[in-house]
Amino acid sequence: LARSPHEPEFQQAVHEVLGTIAPVLEQHPEYVEAGILDRIVEPERQIMFRVPWVDDAGKMQVNRGYRIQFSSVLGPYKGGLRFHPSVNLSIIKFLGFEQIFKNALTGQGIGGAKGGSDFDPHGKSDAEVMRFCQSFMSELYRHLGEHTDVPAGDIGVGGREIGYLFGSYRKITNRHESGMFTGKGTGWGGAEVRTEATGYGAVFFAQEMLAVHNESLDGKRVGISGSGNVAIYAIQKATQLGATAVTASDSSGYVVDDAGIDLDLLRQIKEVERGRIVEYANRRSSARFVEGGSVWEVPVDIAVPSATQNEVSLADAEALIANGVRAVSEGANMPCVPDAVAAFQQAGVLFAPGKAANAGGVATSALEMSQNASRQRWSFGDSENKLREIMADIHDAAFQAADKYEVPGDYVTGANIAGFQRVATAMLAQGVI
Ligand code: NDP
């Protein structure tokens, strides 16, 4: 870590993992002797590159592209691409590091990676986004491939961007290599349920945690942040399971709708019109918009933070606890600051870390890779059932590891230990490489 002094998000993610695995290292001194920890915090490969493109006014623009290929010990590098102005090396490294353990937890044979750019798709025309994606892929293509590195979407990279990126790779390489990207359209190699999988999975995980205590989502008020891919499908699944999803947000503020979020309206505004969240309140009489404020001041039983890292502060956690929150399932990556996580755990709130709760997306990506390799297509129902099983397995792996290491109900420690052990065992077996 001394090599990364200016990477606070990466340091935060590493401390969170290393702070929980000491009991495993005591039982397995061979991990320490083999330098597993020294190796695991150093990416296998880091790629940074210039992405020049020309905007609609004919002006040259330059962004920076990243791909951090963190670990391929369990399978080809796998992890999303993020396009957001806040993207920097620290953020991509934290996401890539988390991805190693998340992917291990899915049990699917995929390594860990992350990439992206400080490009902001907001307010850009389709033609500008396409030119950017083509320039981005004109460098990244040489580092990808179905057996090497398989990206997917993340913040700012949805169906439109994936289409342009995939098309560009196909053109440059002269190969229709379906399995080199996941999250594709279902008409051209994409798997059913991949779009829904992260949001659905985070809600399934909440359901699993509640079931341990003979509780369910039925009749619960659910608070969700964000209004992108993860948030939209978390709202849909929570509603289908009998809960009322009452909030959504974006970087301008949040809406609260006690009648339950109208998903068709939200999708129209966010997916079709690419508008701002205030529009939802303008068109729905049961909703109000709060500019700036924190969505976590709204009383809810279940919280599914689904926007971005460090969006839930200690004050937010205290407000949720004071309002009687029962469970928190992280749809986003590392949305709760460490003090907020500690506060939830001390208050007895069921808390699921992102690397377990949002692993449904990448798990379904691995199912997409399998379908591409075998030229099969699974139905929506079969794929959703498989996702539900995978989320139950991830829950059980984290739950049992927490029990085994005498921190029952601590899903943070349980998920870290279960994921770490799978990676460490493979690293040990494969030697010092
Ligand atoms: P989207 O781009 O579809 O949506 C992101 C949402 O979060 C938008 O509503 C956006 O609002 C909001 N948001 C982003 N950054 C900020 C910010 N700095 N402050 C406030 N709001 C913000 O992304 P996804 O839904 O795909 O991703 C959301 C989270 O889930 C991320 O942490 C991602 O890493 C994680 N995740 C996603 C997976 C996937 O399959 N898509 C898989 C696993 C994890 P605005 O438009 O105003 O920026």
Side-chain angles (χ1 to χ4, degrees):
L1 282 186
R3 289 192 198 96
S4 318
H6 305 301
E7 297 171 5
E9 292 85 2
F10 176 55
Q11 299 245 357
Q12 184 182 337
V14 171
H15 282 130
E16 192 259 330
V17 171
L18 300 194
T20 55
I21 58 171
V24 181
L25 302 178
E26 272 166 33
Q27 284 194 7
H28 294 277
E30 69 276 19
Y31 292 163
V32 181
E33 280 155 27
I36 300 286
L37 294 188
D38 299 317
R39 285 192 275 150
I40 215 165
V41 298
E42 188 65 25
E44 289 177 8
R45 189 175 298 107
Q46 309 190 54
I47 302 150
M48 285 168 64
F49 52 101
R50 179 172 67 198
V51 189
W53 57 282
V54 178
D55 68 18
D56 286 349
K59 191 162 172 275
M60 169 68 71
Q61 303 283 344
V62 180
N63 288 97
R64 183 175 291 173
Y66 301 84
R67 187 68 177 166
I68 305 298
Q69 297 178 329
F70 231 114
S71 170
S72 58
V73 74
L74 293 180
Y77 302 111
K78 183 88 196 86
L81 297 174
R82 176 176 293 191
F83 293 169
H84 192 272
S86 65
V87 162
N88 58 35
L89 185 60
S90 172
I91 287 182
I92 299 298
K93 280 181 70 179
F94 117 66
L95 290 164
F97 185 73
E98 288 277 295
Q99 199 81 43
I100 306 171
F101 307 103
K102 179 189 309 193
N103 293 4
L105 272 173
T106 69
Q108 296 280 323
I110 36 182
K114 201 79 187 188
S117 174
D118 56 1
F119 173 75
D120 185 0
H122 285 113
K124 302 289 191 303
S125 70
D126 286 354
E128 288 177 322
V129 171
M130 183 174 73
R131 286 196 294 274
F132 172 81
C133 288
Q134 290 174 341
S135 178
F136 183 83
M137 194 51 95
S138 73
E139 170 56 34
L140 190 63
Y141 85 94
R142 65 186 94 246
H143 307 287
L144 305 181
E146 62 182 335
H147 302 296
T148 310
D149 185 348
V150 183
D154 190 78
I155 291 177
V157 178
R160 173 181 61 171
E161 290 76 15
I162 292 172
Y164 295 150
L165 290 162
F166 182 80
S168 172
Y169 179 88
R170 184 173 60 72
K171 165 97 179 173
I172 297 167
T173 60
N174 193 27
R175 278 202 306 269
H176 193 116
E177 192 185 326
S178 293
M180 61 68 57
F181 215 108
T182 59
K184 301 179 292 295
T186 49
W188 41 279
E192 295 289 351
V193 187
R194 174 58 190 94
T195 306
E196 294 84 356
T198 307
Y200 279 19
V203 173
F204 288 148
F205 202 98
Q207 197 182 24
E208 292 291 328
M209 292 195 296
L210 291 168
V212 172
H213 301 272
N214 295 318
E215 296 170 44
S216 79
L217 280 162
D218 196 29
K220 299 278 195 310
R221 270 170 68 91
V222 180
I224 290 169
S225 59
S227 48
N229 173 262
V230 179
I232 283 174
Y233 294 102
I235 290 170
Q236 185 174 62
K237 186 48 65 184
T239 310
Q240 287 171 357
L241 293 174
T244 307
V246 292
T247 61
S249 70
D250 65 17
S251 48
S252 66
Y254 70 87
V255 291
V256 53
D257 183 348
D258 288 324
I261 296 287
D262 176 338
L263 199 63
D264 290 340
L265 177 58
L266 185 65
R267 291 184 66 178
Q268 171 66 25
I269 293 165
K270 283 294 172 180
E271 294 182 344
V272 181
E273 299 169 20
R274 297 184 186 274
R276 305 308 292 160
I277 199 73
V278 65
E279 271 304 307
Y280 179 91
N282 290 345
R283 297 188 213 170
R284 174 105 164 148
S285 58
S286 54
R288 66 190 164 85
F289 172 65
V290 180
E291 193 175 350
S294 166
V295 66
W296 308 117
E297 63 203 19
V298 178
V300 290
D301 304 306
I302 313 287
V304 187
S306 304
T308 193
Q309 66 276 355
N310 294 330
E311 57 161 306
V312 181
S313 66
L314 175 59
D316 292 328
E318 286 168 346
L320 281 162
I321 293 165
N323 285 328
V325 73
R326 177 73 182 111
V328 177
S329 184
E330 290 190 330
N333 283 309
M334 210 167 75
C336 301
V337 302
D339 285 350
V341 177
F344 289 132
Q345 291 181 320
Q346 276 157 23
V349 174
L350 301 172
F351 178 80
K355 69 170 69 67
N358 71 34
V362 74
T364 310
S365 277
L367 303 182
E368 183 169 326
M369 291 161 72
S370 304
Q371 290 169 72
N372 291 152
S374 60
R375 297 187 178 271
Q376 287 180 332
R377 275 186 66 83
W378 303 354
S379 70
F380 193 95
D382 287 347
S383 305
E384 188 179 354
N385 285 339
K386 187 75 189 151
L387 170 64
R388 202 189 310 260
E389 269 171 37
I390 290 172
M391 295 315 296
D393 288 347
I394 294 172
H395 171 273
D396 293 352
F399 187 82
Q400 285 160 14
D403 256 5
K404 183 173 167 197
Y405 285 91
E406 295 172 357
V407 282
D410 179 347
Y411 290 97
V412 174
T413 299
N416 285 342
I417 288 178
F420 175 77
Q421 280 200 291
R422 287 181 186 166
V423 177
T425 306
M427 287 176 78
L428 206 57
Q430 292 180 29
V432 179
I433 43 170

